Amino acid sequence: MEKKQFQAESKRLLEMMVNSIYSQKEIFLRELISNASDAIDKMYYRSLTDDSLSFEKDRYAIYVEADKDNRKLVMKDTGIGMTKEELEANLGTIAKSGSLAFKKETKIEDGHDIIGQFGVGFYAAFMVADKVTVITRSIDSDQAYKWESDGTDGYTIEPAEKEDVGTVITLHIKENTDDESYDEYLEEYRIKAIIKKYSDFIRYPIKMNVTVSKPKEDNEDEYAEYQEEQTINSMVPIWRKNKSELKDSDYEQFYQDKRYGFDKPLEHIHVSVDGAIRYNAILFIPEHTPFDYYSKEYEKGLELYANGVLIMEKCAELLPDYFSFVKGMVDSEDLSLNISREMLQHDRQLKLIAKNIKSKIKSQLKTMLKKEPDKYEKFYKAFGRQLKFGVYNDFGANKDDLQDLLLFYSSTEKKLVSLSDYVSRMKEGQTYIYYATGESNERIAKLPQTEMVADQGYEILYFTEDVDEFAIKMLRSYDEKEFMSVSSADLDIETDEKQEEETNSEENKKLFEKMKSILDGKVKDVRTSKRLKSHPVFLAADGEITLEMEKVLQAMPDNQNVKAEKVLEINPNHDVFHSLKQAYEEDEDKLKLYTNLLYNQALLIEGLPLEDPVEFSQNMCKVMV
């Protein structure tokens, strides 16, 4: 028996295969099962053109057997087998794919697509085995052959005995090392877990003897362990079934089986596309936020299958960040995979799928908002924050996709409303969408600056999350209506001209200049307010940075000390204003005291920290004595 050498380039490739091509050693079982499935598929296609053959699906299966005592893992299939020449061609030359050649020769139109493309998957076995033995008999030969190799040193081929057509692969599992335990690939529970993870939807049964516990025949109170042959894989995936056959409970069960979450899915989306690229997908919108969702540890992505074989557990490219909460899977027969079948060679196909999936998710959410608002509100409370981040991120590139999905609390409706709902209720002549920011709805409702807007009968949207105002600044307008903060300088609300003339008199201007001087750079300006009704004072902001945005930015660990340009607004109709005027005319120290008190009062109303709490306390005491 002559030992043959791998070609030089094949030898180098085998070394790469064992050491670097695959990210996880457990992948070897996926590759061998995929090859076995290919072999049965080839038998099926052969039967279509050979009248002497009949393909009875029940006769075809893949068997896995672990022999812990002898450190062997055995895989058998009832597929088409290989001749001596095919052994030489397919296993003697690494990256020579019999499956790929078969695909080129055969036009496949009925969904039985051949999985293998590169002919390297078989050699993944050497990641866990120090010797691999293959005994195979082809449908075209009465003689069986044995191929054997202990890795890069080469291989042998010799005649062997095998009664049935098909292939038996025996892996001689490596001994444990200080860095690696190979015993796990002989453990029943581990083998089952790998099969379920990667090959659960292979179309042929994967059978294995499994240890079960049953009552003894002579004593039902005692249990004994038995070996029982079981089919490990599900075979027919839910996504290949007709939607009409499935119930909500089927989707919920699939969600639980795949461990997408511990909750129930709030909504599911079943997609079947047969166009430029063929794929099936089942997507889930969870009911609750995962505990790590807003942390760095959270990984977005959908499971990616190629013809029923799991390729990636988290394919991030399939989901935009703002829909990262979506769980589920995609299965396609048209993906161009790399040599390890763990990544894509070309991302054009993936981009087409991702674009369609994004559209499906958006459409489903809009339908839910329109037809099931209570359910949508439940979703929004869990994941609305992520949609707002989506509007803000990437310089607003996705705002058009997301603006119709946003909800905010309404001052008049006392519930969450969409921007579309707000615009539909706008008063005649109203040109702005008004909003106010604060820590809570209750606190916003008590803000001084909301009084005038509310008295005019205008609806106000309440922004209570730190991302809200950033998102709206990026959105800028909705349905050609610009957003306007109730703290803005110009609210587009008519005021009494006579009153405005009085408050803007030269005497008052001198008062405000003096107050501005007393505050010594703490405010950009002091002026009368057009929006205050019962409150004496409040802080407004000029420019793009608002007071709420300042608070958010200041709380960030790498803040650049960004501050809003503050304006102290005084209510000219409040008794405090008259006290200020009197102090300006009669007592400069009292004016300084009143000015600092009003400024600190305005800071407190806005939820901003006092610059000197001790001084504020002392000033309060001075007023009281």
Short mmCIF file of all heavy atoms in Angstrom, two decimals, residues 68-119:
data_model
loop_
_atom_site.label_atom_id
_atom_site.label_comp_id
_atom_site.label_asym_id
_atom_site.label_seq_id
_atom_site.Cartn_x
_atom_site.Cartn_y
_atom_site.Cartn_z
N LYS A 68 -16.45 6.45 23.17
CA LYS A 68 -15.57 7.13 24.11
C LYS A 68 -14.37 6.27 24.49
O LYS A 68 -13.25 6.78 24.65
CB LYS A 68 -16.35 7.52 25.37
CG LYS A 68 -17.41 8.59 25.14
CD LYS A 68 -18.20 8.90 26.39
CE LYS A 68 -17.36 9.59 27.44
NZ LYS A 68 -18.17 10.03 28.61
N ASP A 69 -14.59 4.99 24.62
CA ASP A 69 -13.50 4.10 25.07
C ASP A 69 -12.35 4.10 24.08
O ASP A 69 -11.17 4.04 24.48
CB ASP A 69 -14.03 2.67 25.26
CG ASP A 69 -15.03 2.58 26.41
OD1 ASP A 69 -14.97 3.44 27.31
OD2 ASP A 69 -15.87 1.65 26.40
N ASN A 70 -12.67 4.13 22.80
CA ASN A 70 -11.63 4.09 21.77
C ASN A 70 -11.36 5.46 21.14
O ASN A 70 -10.64 5.55 20.15
CB ASN A 70 -12.02 3.09 20.68
CG ASN A 70 -12.08 1.66 21.20
OD1 ASN A 70 -11.09 1.14 21.70
ND2 ASN A 70 -13.27 1.05 21.13
N ARG A 71 -11.98 6.51 21.71
CA ARG A 71 -11.80 7.89 21.24
C ARG A 71 -12.09 8.03 19.75
O ARG A 71 -11.31 8.62 19.00
CB ARG A 71 -10.39 8.41 21.57
CG ARG A 71 -10.07 8.46 23.05
CD ARG A 71 -8.78 9.22 23.33
NE ARG A 71 -8.91 10.64 23.06
CZ ARG A 71 -9.51 11.52 23.88
NH1 ARG A 71 -10.07 11.11 25.01
NH2 ARG A 71 -9.56 12.80 23.56
N LYS A 72 -13.23 7.47 19.36
CA LYS A 72 -13.61 7.55 17.96
C LYS A 72 -14.99 8.21 17.83
O LYS A 72 -15.89 7.97 18.64
CB LYS A 72 -13.68 6.15 17.32
CG LYS A 72 -12.34 5.47 17.18
CD LYS A 72 -12.51 4.10 16.53
CE LYS A 72 -11.16 3.38 16.38
NZ LYS A 72 -11.33 2.05 15.75
N LEU A 73 -15.12 9.04 16.80
CA LEU A 73 -16.41 9.61 16.42
C LEU A 73 -16.69 9.17 14.98
O LEU A 73 -15.88 9.45 14.09
CB LEU A 73 -16.39 11.13 16.52
CG LEU A 73 -17.71 11.84 16.23
CD1 LEU A 73 -18.77 11.47 17.26
CD2 LEU A 73 -17.53 13.36 16.21
N VAL A 74 -17.80 8.47 14.79
CA VAL A 74 -18.10 7.86 13.49
C VAL A 74 -19.33 8.52 12.88
O VAL A 74 -20.33 8.75 13.57
CB VAL A 74 -18.34 6.34 13.65
CG1 VAL A 74 -18.62 5.71 12.28
CG2 VAL A 74 -17.14 5.68 14.32
N MET A 75 -19.23 8.80 11.58
CA MET A 75 -20.36 9.35 10.84
C MET A 75 -20.61 8.48 9.62
O MET A 75 -19.68 8.14 8.88
CB MET A 75 -20.09 10.78 10.38
CG MET A 75 -20.10 11.79 11.49
SD MET A 75 -20.10 13.46 10.83
CE MET A 75 -21.52 13.38 9.77
N LYS A 76 -21.89 8.13 9.42
CA LYS A 76 -22.26 7.31 8.28
C LYS A 76 -23.35 8.02 7.49
O LYS A 76 -24.19 8.71 8.06
CB LYS A 76 -22.80 5.95 8.75
CG LYS A 76 -21.87 5.16 9.65
CD LYS A 76 -22.55 3.88 10.15
CE LYS A 76 -21.66 3.15 11.16
NZ LYS A 76 -22.34 1.93 11.70
N ASP A 77 -23.33 7.83 6.18
CA ASP A 77 -24.44 8.32 5.36
C ASP A 77 -24.79 7.28 4.32
O ASP A 77 -23.99 6.39 4.00
CB ASP A 77 -24.09 9.65 4.70
CG ASP A 77 -23.05 9.55 3.60
OD1 ASP A 77 -23.31 8.87 2.59
OD2 ASP A 77 -21.97 10.15 3.74
N THR A 78 -25.99 7.38 3.81
CA THR A 78 -26.49 6.45 2.79
C THR A 78 -26.54 7.13 1.44
O THR A 78 -27.43 6.86 0.62
CB THR A 78 -27.88 5.92 3.19
OG1 THR A 78 -28.74 7.04 3.42
CG2 THR A 78 -27.81 5.08 4.45
N GLY A 79 -25.59 8.02 1.23
CA GLY A 79 -25.56 8.79 -0.01
C GLY A 79 -24.93 8.04 -1.17
O GLY A 79 -24.80 6.81 -1.15
N ILE A 80 -24.47 8.80 -2.16
CA ILE A 80 -24.05 8.23 -3.44
C ILE A 80 -22.69 7.55 -3.38
O ILE A 80 -22.36 6.73 -4.24
CB ILE A 80 -24.05 9.33 -4.52
CG1 ILE A 80 -24.13 8.72 -5.91
CG2 ILE A 80 -22.85 10.26 -4.35
CD1 ILE A 80 -24.45 9.75 -6.99
N GLY A 81 -21.89 7.87 -2.37
CA GLY A 81 -20.57 7.24 -2.24
C GLY A 81 -19.57 7.78 -3.24
O GLY A 81 -19.88 8.64 -4.07
N MET A 82 -18.32 7.27 -3.15
CA MET A 82 -17.25 7.71 -4.05
C MET A 82 -16.49 6.52 -4.61
O MET A 82 -16.28 5.51 -3.92
CB MET A 82 -16.27 8.63 -3.30
CG MET A 82 -16.78 10.02 -3.00
SD MET A 82 -15.58 11.04 -2.10
CE MET A 82 -15.81 10.41 -0.43
N THR A 83 -16.08 6.64 -5.87
CA THR A 83 -15.19 5.66 -6.50
C THR A 83 -13.76 5.95 -6.06
O THR A 83 -13.48 6.97 -5.43
CB THR A 83 -15.29 5.74 -8.02
OG1 THR A 83 -14.83 7.03 -8.44
CG2 THR A 83 -16.72 5.53 -8.50
N LYS A 84 -12.85 5.06 -6.44
CA LYS A 84 -11.44 5.29 -6.12
C LYS A 84 -10.95 6.58 -6.75
O LYS A 84 -10.23 7.36 -6.12
CB LYS A 84 -10.61 4.10 -6.61
CG LYS A 84 -9.12 4.24 -6.30
CD LYS A 84 -8.33 3.06 -6.83
CE LYS A 84 -6.84 3.22 -6.52
NZ LYS A 84 -6.03 2.09 -7.04
N GLU A 85 -11.38 6.83 -7.99
CA GLU A 85 -10.97 8.04 -8.70
C GLU A 85 -11.51 9.29 -8.01
O GLU A 85 -10.81 10.32 -7.91
CB GLU A 85 -11.42 7.99 -10.15
CG GLU A 85 -10.73 6.93 -11.01
CD GLU A 85 -11.21 5.53 -10.69
OE1 GLU A 85 -12.35 5.38 -10.16
OE2 GLU A 85 -10.46 4.57 -10.96
N GLU A 86 -12.75 9.19 -7.53
CA GLU A 86 -13.35 10.35 -6.85
C GLU A 86 -12.69 10.59 -5.49
O GLU A 86 -12.51 11.74 -5.08
CB GLU A 86 -14.85 10.13 -6.68
CG GLU A 86 -15.61 10.26 -7.98
CD GLU A 86 -17.05 9.80 -7.87
OE1 GLU A 86 -17.35 8.94 -7.01
OE2 GLU A 86 -17.88 10.28 -8.65
N LEU A 87 -12.31 9.51 -4.81
CA LEU A 87 -11.56 9.67 -3.57
C LEU A 87 -10.26 10.41 -3.83
O LEU A 87 -9.88 11.32 -3.11
CB LEU A 87 -11.25 8.30 -2.95
CG LEU A 87 -12.27 7.70 -1.99
CD1 LEU A 87 -11.83 6.31 -1.57
CD2 LEU A 87 -12.46 8.57 -0.77
N GLU A 88 -9.58 9.98 -4.87
CA GLU A 88 -8.31 10.59 -5.22
C GLU A 88 -8.50 12.06 -5.56
O GLU A 88 -7.74 12.94 -5.12
CB GLU A 88 -7.71 9.86 -6.43
CG GLU A 88 -6.35 10.37 -6.86
CD GLU A 88 -5.23 9.81 -5.99
OE1 GLU A 88 -5.16 8.59 -5.79
OE2 GLU A 88 -4.46 10.65 -5.49
N ALA A 89 -9.55 12.35 -6.34
CA ALA A 89 -9.77 13.73 -6.80
C ALA A 89 -10.28 14.63 -5.69
O ALA A 89 -9.83 15.77 -5.52
CB ALA A 89 -10.74 13.73 -7.98
N ASN A 90 -11.24 14.13 -4.92
CA ASN A 90 -11.91 14.99 -3.94
C ASN A 90 -11.18 15.09 -2.61
O ASN A 90 -11.19 16.14 -1.97
CB ASN A 90 -13.33 14.49 -3.69
CG ASN A 90 -14.20 14.59 -4.93
OD1 ASN A 90 -13.93 15.39 -5.82
ND2 ASN A 90 -15.23 13.76 -5.01
N LEU A 91 -10.55 14.00 -2.15
CA LEU A 91 -9.87 14.02 -0.86
C LEU A 91 -8.36 14.11 -1.00
O LEU A 91 -7.67 14.48 -0.06
CB LEU A 91 -10.23 12.78 -0.03
CG LEU A 91 -11.72 12.58 0.27
CD1 LEU A 91 -11.91 11.46 1.28
CD2 LEU A 91 -12.37 13.85 0.77
N GLY A 92 -7.84 13.77 -2.17
CA GLY A 92 -6.39 13.86 -2.37
C GLY A 92 -5.95 15.25 -2.72
O GLY A 92 -4.81 15.62 -2.49
N THR A 93 -6.86 16.04 -3.28
CA THR A 93 -6.53 17.43 -3.62
C THR A 93 -7.45 18.34 -2.82
O THR A 93 -8.65 18.39 -3.07
CB THR A 93 -6.74 17.70 -5.13
OG1 THR A 93 -5.96 16.77 -5.86
CG2 THR A 93 -6.33 19.11 -5.48
N ILE A 94 -6.88 19.03 -1.87
CA ILE A 94 -7.68 19.90 -1.02
C ILE A 94 -8.21 21.07 -1.86
O ILE A 94 -7.52 21.62 -2.70
CB ILE A 94 -6.85 20.43 0.16
CG1 ILE A 94 -6.36 19.24 0.99
CG2 ILE A 94 -7.65 21.38 1.04
CD1 ILE A 94 -5.47 19.64 2.13
N ALA A 95 -9.45 21.44 -1.59
CA ALA A 95 -10.16 22.51 -2.31
C ALA A 95 -10.65 22.06 -3.66
O ALA A 95 -11.06 22.86 -4.48
CB ALA A 95 -9.32 23.77 -2.44
N LYS A 96 -10.64 20.75 -3.90
CA LYS A 96 -11.26 20.20 -5.10
C LYS A 96 -12.65 19.75 -4.68
O LYS A 96 -12.82 18.79 -3.94
CB LYS A 96 -10.44 19.02 -5.62
CG LYS A 96 -11.16 18.13 -6.63
CD LYS A 96 -11.30 18.79 -7.98
CE LYS A 96 -11.88 17.79 -8.98
NZ LYS A 96 -12.08 18.39 -10.30
N SER A 97 -13.68 20.45 -5.12
CA SER A 97 -15.03 20.19 -4.63
C SER A 97 -15.83 19.38 -5.63
O SER A 97 -16.13 19.84 -6.72
CB SER A 97 -15.75 21.50 -4.35
OG SER A 97 -17.10 21.23 -4.04
N GLY A 98 -16.16 18.16 -5.23
CA GLY A 98 -17.05 17.36 -6.06
C GLY A 98 -18.44 17.95 -6.10
O GLY A 98 -19.14 17.86 -7.09
N SER A 99 -18.84 18.59 -5.02
CA SER A 99 -20.16 19.21 -4.97
C SER A 99 -20.25 20.38 -5.94
O SER A 99 -21.26 20.58 -6.61
CB SER A 99 -20.48 19.68 -3.55
OG SER A 99 -20.63 18.59 -2.69
N LEU A 100 -19.16 21.17 -6.00
CA LEU A 100 -19.17 22.32 -6.90
C LEU A 100 -19.26 21.86 -8.35
O LEU A 100 -20.02 22.42 -9.15
CB LEU A 100 -17.92 23.17 -6.69
CG LEU A 100 -17.81 24.42 -7.56
CD1 LEU A 100 -19.01 25.33 -7.34
CD2 LEU A 100 -16.52 25.16 -7.30
N ALA A 101 -18.49 20.83 -8.70
CA ALA A 101 -18.57 20.29 -10.06
C ALA A 101 -19.96 19.76 -10.36
O ALA A 101 -20.50 19.96 -11.45
CB ALA A 101 -17.52 19.19 -10.23
N PHE A 102 -20.57 19.10 -9.37
CA PHE A 102 -21.91 18.57 -9.55
C PHE A 102 -22.92 19.69 -9.78
O PHE A 102 -23.82 19.58 -10.60
CB PHE A 102 -22.29 17.75 -8.32
CG PHE A 102 -23.58 16.97 -8.48
CD1 PHE A 102 -23.57 15.73 -9.07
CD2 PHE A 102 -24.78 17.49 -8.04
CE1 PHE A 102 -24.76 15.01 -9.22
CE2 PHE A 102 -25.95 16.80 -8.18
CZ PHE A 102 -25.95 15.54 -8.77
N LYS A 103 -22.76 20.79 -9.04
CA LYS A 103 -23.67 21.93 -9.21
C LYS A 103 -23.57 22.52 -10.61
O LYS A 103 -24.56 22.93 -11.20
CB LYS A 103 -23.35 23.02 -8.17
CG LYS A 103 -23.75 22.67 -6.76
CD LYS A 103 -23.34 23.73 -5.78
CE LYS A 103 -24.22 24.96 -5.90
NZ LYS A 103 -23.91 25.95 -4.86
N LYS A 104 -22.34 22.56 -11.13
CA LYS A 104 -22.16 23.13 -12.47
C LYS A 104 -22.78 22.25 -13.55
O LYS A 104 -23.25 22.72 -14.57
CB LYS A 104 -20.67 23.33 -12.75
CG LYS A 104 -20.04 24.44 -11.91
CD LYS A 104 -18.55 24.58 -12.21
CE LYS A 104 -17.94 25.73 -11.40
NZ LYS A 104 -16.48 25.85 -11.65
N GLU A 105 -22.74 20.93 -13.29
CA GLU A 105 -23.27 19.99 -14.28
C GLU A 105 -24.78 19.83 -14.19
O GLU A 105 -25.43 19.41 -15.14
CB GLU A 105 -22.62 18.61 -14.09
CG GLU A 105 -21.11 18.60 -14.34
CD GLU A 105 -20.47 17.31 -13.88
OE1 GLU A 105 -21.24 16.42 -13.45
OE2 GLU A 105 -19.23 17.19 -13.95
N THR A 106 -25.34 20.16 -13.04
CA THR A 106 -26.76 19.89 -12.80
C THR A 106 -27.52 21.19 -12.58
O THR A 106 -27.13 22.00 -11.76
CB THR A 106 -26.94 19.01 -11.54
OG1 THR A 106 -26.07 17.89 -11.65
CG2 THR A 106 -28.38 18.54 -11.42
N LYS A 107 -28.58 21.38 -13.30
CA LYS A 107 -29.43 22.55 -13.07
C LYS A 107 -30.42 22.20 -11.96
O LYS A 107 -31.30 21.36 -12.14
CB LYS A 107 -30.18 22.95 -14.34
CG LYS A 107 -29.26 23.50 -15.43
CD LYS A 107 -30.05 23.94 -16.63
CE LYS A 107 -29.14 24.54 -17.70
NZ LYS A 107 -29.90 24.98 -18.89
N ILE A 108 -30.29 22.87 -10.84
CA ILE A 108 -31.11 22.55 -9.67
C ILE A 108 -32.25 23.54 -9.57
O ILE A 108 -32.04 24.73 -9.43
CB ILE A 108 -30.23 22.60 -8.40
CG1 ILE A 108 -29.12 21.56 -8.53
CG2 ILE A 108 -31.05 22.36 -7.16
CD1 ILE A 108 -28.06 21.67 -7.46
N GLU A 109 -33.46 23.04 -9.62
CA GLU A 109 -34.61 23.95 -9.67
C GLU A 109 -35.68 23.61 -8.64
O GLU A 109 -36.71 24.24 -8.61
CB GLU A 109 -35.23 23.92 -11.07
CG GLU A 109 -34.28 24.40 -12.17
CD GLU A 109 -34.90 24.30 -13.55
OE1 GLU A 109 -35.97 23.67 -13.65
OE2 GLU A 109 -34.31 24.82 -14.51
N ASP A 110 -35.46 22.59 -7.82
CA ASP A 110 -36.54 22.18 -6.91
C ASP A 110 -36.20 22.38 -5.44
O ASP A 110 -36.82 21.80 -4.57
CB ASP A 110 -36.91 20.71 -7.15
CG ASP A 110 -35.74 19.77 -6.84
OD1 ASP A 110 -34.64 20.29 -6.57
OD2 ASP A 110 -35.95 18.55 -6.87
N GLY A 111 -35.20 23.21 -5.16
CA GLY A 111 -34.90 23.52 -3.76
C GLY A 111 -33.92 22.59 -3.11
O GLY A 111 -33.47 22.82 -1.99
N HIS A 112 -33.54 21.47 -3.76
CA HIS A 112 -32.54 20.57 -3.19
C HIS A 112 -31.15 21.05 -3.57
O HIS A 112 -30.39 20.39 -4.28
CB HIS A 112 -32.76 19.15 -3.72
CG HIS A 112 -33.83 18.41 -2.99
ND1 HIS A 112 -35.15 18.77 -3.05
CD2 HIS A 112 -33.76 17.32 -2.17
CE1 HIS A 112 -35.87 17.92 -2.32
NE2 HIS A 112 -35.04 17.05 -1.77
N ASP A 113 -30.80 22.24 -3.11
CA ASP A 113 -29.50 22.82 -3.49
C ASP A 113 -28.38 22.09 -2.76
O ASP A 113 -28.50 21.69 -1.61
CB ASP A 113 -29.47 24.30 -3.13
CG ASP A 113 -28.37 25.04 -3.86
OD1 ASP A 113 -27.76 24.42 -4.75
OD2 ASP A 113 -28.14 26.21 -3.55
N ILE A 114 -27.26 21.92 -3.47
CA ILE A 114 -26.08 21.29 -2.87
C ILE A 114 -25.36 22.33 -2.02
O ILE A 114 -25.14 23.46 -2.43
CB ILE A 114 -25.13 20.78 -3.98
CG1 ILE A 114 -25.87 19.76 -4.86
CG2 ILE A 114 -23.89 20.16 -3.37
CD1 ILE A 114 -26.28 18.50 -4.16
N ILE A 115 -24.99 21.93 -0.80
CA ILE A 115 -24.43 22.89 0.14
C ILE A 115 -22.96 23.18 -0.16
O ILE A 115 -22.52 24.30 -0.19
CB ILE A 115 -24.56 22.35 1.59
CG1 ILE A 115 -26.03 22.12 1.93
CG2 ILE A 115 -23.92 23.30 2.58
CD1 ILE A 115 -26.24 21.33 3.20
N GLY A 116 -22.16 22.12 -0.36
CA GLY A 116 -20.72 22.27 -0.50
C GLY A 116 -20.31 23.04 -1.74
O GLY A 116 -20.89 22.88 -2.79
N GLN A 117 -19.25 23.84 -1.62
CA GLN A 117 -18.75 24.59 -2.76
C GLN A 117 -17.24 24.49 -2.90
O GLN A 117 -16.72 24.49 -4.00
CB GLN A 117 -19.10 26.09 -2.62
CG GLN A 117 -20.56 26.39 -2.64
CD GLN A 117 -20.81 27.88 -2.56
OE1 GLN A 117 -20.29 28.64 -3.36
NE2 GLN A 117 -21.60 28.30 -1.58
N PHE A 118 -16.53 24.36 -1.79
CA PHE A 118 -15.10 24.53 -1.84
C PHE A 118 -14.30 23.23 -1.69
O PHE A 118 -13.14 23.18 -2.02
CB PHE A 118 -14.63 25.52 -0.76
CG PHE A 118 -15.20 26.88 -0.97
CD1 PHE A 118 -16.32 27.30 -0.27
CD2 PHE A 118 -14.64 27.74 -1.89
CE1 PHE A 118 -16.86 28.55 -0.47
CE2 PHE A 118 -15.17 29.00 -2.10
CZ PHE A 118 -16.28 29.40 -1.39
N GLY A 119 -14.91 22.18 -1.14
CA GLY A 119 -14.20 20.93 -0.98
C GLY A 119 -13.17 20.95 0.13
O GLY A 119 -12.29 20.10 0.18
#
